[in-house]
Amino acid sequence: MLFRSFNYKMAQKVHNVDFYLLNGCMRCKFGGTPKCKVNKWRGVLLLLRKVVLEFGLKEEIKWGSPCYTLNDKNILMINSFKNYACISFFKGGLLPDNNNELSKHGESSQSVRTLKFINENEVSEKYDVLRFFIAESIDRKSTRLNSSHQIISY
């Protein structure tokens, strides 16, 4: 079975971010156990959540993880992985990144860009950078851009 590791019934239980931060995404066998990767990165995730909520974005769960939207449009997500926690920007490829702070989520990633963290101190150190990318992501949702960063008139 192709999607055997994804438990749809368990994933449906994650209906708010507080539950996610306590139990994980519930998409693997470690959900709700001490081995869940959310436990390892909970401090970083809580700090990222606090910064994101300063912008008044709507918080919800999508794909088993915290997703933040504006006018029903996806802006960003916070996630935990084995070796890091991150904030992922849906249209990150359009963000100005002169210092190469953002990375592609994967080799085939077209638009999503991530800002990775391995400890809580990094969130504090990159606070201004983090706020800049969040604000830019929100602004880019207000102005439609094409992939070559040119403004498209309505």
Side-chain angles (χ1 to χ4, degrees), residues 39-51:
N39 290 322
K40 180 177 181 178
W41 302 110
R42 184 174 291 118
V44 173
L45 295 170
L46 286 167
L47 289 173
L48 292 174
R49 179 189 193 194
K50 182 178 178 182
V51 175

PDB file of all heavy atoms in Angstrom, residues 39-51:
ATOM      1  N   ASN A  39       7.935  17.059  19.932  1.00  0.00           N
ATOM      2  CA  ASN A  39       8.463  17.175  21.299  1.00  0.00           C
ATOM      3  C   ASN A  39       9.868  17.759  21.298  1.00  0.00           C
ATOM      4  O   ASN A  39      10.204  18.595  22.138  1.00  0.00           O
ATOM      5  CB  ASN A  39       8.468  15.814  22.001  1.00  0.00           C
ATOM      6  CG  ASN A  39       7.075  15.326  22.310  1.00  0.00           C
ATOM      7  OD1 ASN A  39       6.209  16.113  22.666  1.00  0.00           O
ATOM      8  ND2 ASN A  39       6.859  14.045  22.168  1.00  0.00           N
ATOM      9  N   LYS A  40      10.692  17.316  20.360  1.00  0.00           N
ATOM     10  CA  LYS A  40      12.078  17.799  20.282  1.00  0.00           C
ATOM     11  C   LYS A  40      12.137  19.292  19.971  1.00  0.00           C
ATOM     12  O   LYS A  40      12.994  20.006  20.455  1.00  0.00           O
ATOM     13  CB  LYS A  40      12.823  17.006  19.211  1.00  0.00           C
ATOM     14  CG  LYS A  40      14.263  17.422  19.029  1.00  0.00           C
ATOM     15  CD  LYS A  40      14.963  16.547  17.992  1.00  0.00           C
ATOM     16  CE  LYS A  40      16.416  16.947  17.841  1.00  0.00           C
ATOM     17  NZ  LYS A  40      17.115  16.089  16.873  1.00  0.00           N
ATOM     18  N   TRP A  41      11.200  19.771  19.144  1.00  0.00           N
ATOM     19  CA  TRP A  41      11.247  21.144  18.641  1.00  0.00           C
ATOM     20  C   TRP A  41      10.164  22.036  19.222  1.00  0.00           C
ATOM     21  O   TRP A  41       9.954  23.146  18.738  1.00  0.00           O
ATOM     22  CB  TRP A  41      11.152  21.125  17.109  1.00  0.00           C
ATOM     23  CG  TRP A  41      12.244  20.312  16.504  1.00  0.00           C
ATOM     24  CD1 TRP A  41      12.119  19.107  15.869  1.00  0.00           C
ATOM     25  CD2 TRP A  41      13.632  20.628  16.499  1.00  0.00           C
ATOM     26  NE1 TRP A  41      13.345  18.663  15.471  1.00  0.00           N
ATOM     27  CE2 TRP A  41      14.298  19.581  15.839  1.00  0.00           C
ATOM     28  CE3 TRP A  41      14.389  21.691  16.992  1.00  0.00           C
ATOM     29  CZ2 TRP A  41      15.675  19.561  15.659  1.00  0.00           C
ATOM     30  CZ3 TRP A  41      15.756  21.679  16.814  1.00  0.00           C
ATOM     31  CH2 TRP A  41      16.383  20.620  16.156  1.00  0.00           C
ATOM     32  N   ARG A  42       9.477  21.597  20.267  1.00  0.00           N
ATOM     33  CA  ARG A  42       8.347  22.355  20.814  1.00  0.00           C
ATOM     34  C   ARG A  42       8.721  23.799  21.171  1.00  0.00           C
ATOM     35  O   ARG A  42       7.997  24.737  20.858  1.00  0.00           O
ATOM     36  CB  ARG A  42       7.753  21.661  22.030  1.00  0.00           C
ATOM     37  CG  ARG A  42       6.495  22.380  22.562  1.00  0.00           C
ATOM     38  CD  ARG A  42       5.802  21.616  23.677  1.00  0.00           C
ATOM     39  NE  ARG A  42       5.203  20.409  23.133  1.00  0.00           N
ATOM     40  CZ  ARG A  42       5.551  19.167  23.508  1.00  0.00           C
ATOM     41  NH1 ARG A  42       6.485  18.978  24.411  1.00  0.00           N
ATOM     42  NH2 ARG A  42       4.946  18.129  22.978  1.00  0.00           N
ATOM     43  N   GLY A  43       9.857  24.022  21.815  1.00  0.00           N
ATOM     44  CA  GLY A  43      10.265  25.377  22.191  1.00  0.00           C
ATOM     45  C   GLY A  43      10.434  26.281  20.991  1.00  0.00           C
ATOM     46  O   GLY A  43       9.970  27.428  20.981  1.00  0.00           O
ATOM     47  N   VAL A  44      11.064  25.775  19.936  1.00  0.00           N
ATOM     48  CA  VAL A  44      11.245  26.548  18.708  1.00  0.00           C
ATOM     49  C   VAL A  44       9.893  26.822  18.068  1.00  0.00           C
ATOM     50  O   VAL A  44       9.596  27.949  17.651  1.00  0.00           O
ATOM     51  CB  VAL A  44      12.176  25.812  17.718  1.00  0.00           C
ATOM     52  CG1 VAL A  44      12.236  26.536  16.381  1.00  0.00           C
ATOM     53  CG2 VAL A  44      13.573  25.659  18.304  1.00  0.00           C
ATOM     54  N   LEU A  45       9.040  25.796  17.996  1.00  0.00           N
ATOM     55  CA  LEU A  45       7.712  25.955  17.384  1.00  0.00           C
ATOM     56  C   LEU A  45       6.870  26.992  18.132  1.00  0.00           C
ATOM     57  O   LEU A  45       6.174  27.796  17.504  1.00  0.00           O
ATOM     58  CB  LEU A  45       6.984  24.609  17.337  1.00  0.00           C
ATOM     59  CG  LEU A  45       7.620  23.538  16.442  1.00  0.00           C
ATOM     60  CD1 LEU A  45       6.962  22.184  16.677  1.00  0.00           C
ATOM     61  CD2 LEU A  45       7.548  23.940  14.979  1.00  0.00           C
ATOM     62  N   LEU A  46       6.943  26.982  19.449  1.00  0.00           N
ATOM     63  CA  LEU A  46       6.188  27.960  20.243  1.00  0.00           C
ATOM     64  C   LEU A  46       6.669  29.382  19.970  1.00  0.00           C
ATOM     65  O   LEU A  46       5.857  30.311  19.847  1.00  0.00           O
ATOM     66  CB  LEU A  46       6.289  27.643  21.732  1.00  0.00           C
ATOM     67  CG  LEU A  46       5.471  26.456  22.216  1.00  0.00           C
ATOM     68  CD1 LEU A  46       5.899  26.040  23.620  1.00  0.00           C
ATOM     69  CD2 LEU A  46       3.986  26.774  22.178  1.00  0.00           C
ATOM     70  N   LEU A  47       7.976  29.566  19.851  1.00  0.00           N
ATOM     71  CA  LEU A  47       8.515  30.893  19.544  1.00  0.00           C
ATOM     72  C   LEU A  47       8.121  31.339  18.142  1.00  0.00           C
ATOM     73  O   LEU A  47       7.738  32.501  17.936  1.00  0.00           O
ATOM     74  CB  LEU A  47      10.036  30.904  19.692  1.00  0.00           C
ATOM     75  CG  LEU A  47      10.568  30.815  21.117  1.00  0.00           C
ATOM     76  CD1 LEU A  47      12.078  30.669  21.124  1.00  0.00           C
ATOM     77  CD2 LEU A  47      10.146  32.041  21.925  1.00  0.00           C
ATOM     78  N   LEU A  48       8.201  30.430  17.172  1.00  0.00           N
ATOM     79  CA  LEU A  48       7.788  30.779  15.811  1.00  0.00           C
ATOM     80  C   LEU A  48       6.314  31.152  15.773  1.00  0.00           C
ATOM     81  O   LEU A  48       5.923  32.134  15.133  1.00  0.00           O
ATOM     82  CB  LEU A  48       8.069  29.616  14.849  1.00  0.00           C
ATOM     83  CG  LEU A  48       9.532  29.296  14.579  1.00  0.00           C
ATOM     84  CD1 LEU A  48       9.650  28.036  13.728  1.00  0.00           C
ATOM     85  CD2 LEU A  48      10.228  30.475  13.900  1.00  0.00           C
ATOM     86  N   ARG A  49       5.499  30.383  16.468  1.00  0.00           N
ATOM     87  CA  ARG A  49       4.063  30.668  16.528  1.00  0.00           C
ATOM     88  C   ARG A  49       3.806  32.059  17.107  1.00  0.00           C
ATOM     89  O   ARG A  49       2.994  32.818  16.575  1.00  0.00           O
ATOM     90  CB  ARG A  49       3.372  29.616  17.386  1.00  0.00           C
ATOM     91  CG  ARG A  49       1.886  29.812  17.532  1.00  0.00           C
ATOM     92  CD  ARG A  49       1.324  28.857  18.557  1.00  0.00           C
ATOM     93  NE  ARG A  49      -0.126  28.809  18.507  1.00  0.00           N
ATOM     94  CZ  ARG A  49      -0.866  28.272  19.467  1.00  0.00           C
ATOM     95  NH1 ARG A  49      -0.298  27.716  20.535  1.00  0.00           N
ATOM     96  NH2 ARG A  49      -2.177  28.276  19.365  1.00  0.00           N
ATOM     97  N   LYS A  50       4.510  32.391  18.164  1.00  0.00           N
ATOM     98  CA  LYS A  50       4.330  33.694  18.808  1.00  0.00           C
ATOM     99  C   LYS A  50       4.644  34.829  17.831  1.00  0.00           C
ATOM    100  O   LYS A  50       3.893  35.810  17.737  1.00  0.00           O
ATOM    101  CB  LYS A  50       5.229  33.791  20.040  1.00  0.00           C
ATOM    102  CG  LYS A  50       5.096  35.073  20.801  1.00  0.00           C
ATOM    103  CD  LYS A  50       5.979  35.084  22.037  1.00  0.00           C
ATOM    104  CE  LYS A  50       5.855  36.416  22.754  1.00  0.00           C
ATOM    105  NZ  LYS A  50       6.726  36.486  23.918  1.00  0.00           N
ATOM    106  N   VAL A  51       5.733  34.698  17.089  1.00  0.00           N
ATOM    107  CA  VAL A  51       6.109  35.740  16.119  1.00  0.00           C
ATOM    108  C   VAL A  51       5.063  35.836  15.010  1.00  0.00           C
ATOM    109  O   VAL A  51       4.617  36.927  14.647  1.00  0.00           O
ATOM    110  CB  VAL A  51       7.506  35.471  15.520  1.00  0.00           C
ATOM    111  CG1 VAL A  51       7.833  36.485  14.434  1.00  0.00           C
ATOM    112  CG2 VAL A  51       8.566  35.497  16.606  1.00  0.00           C
TER     113      VAL A  51
END
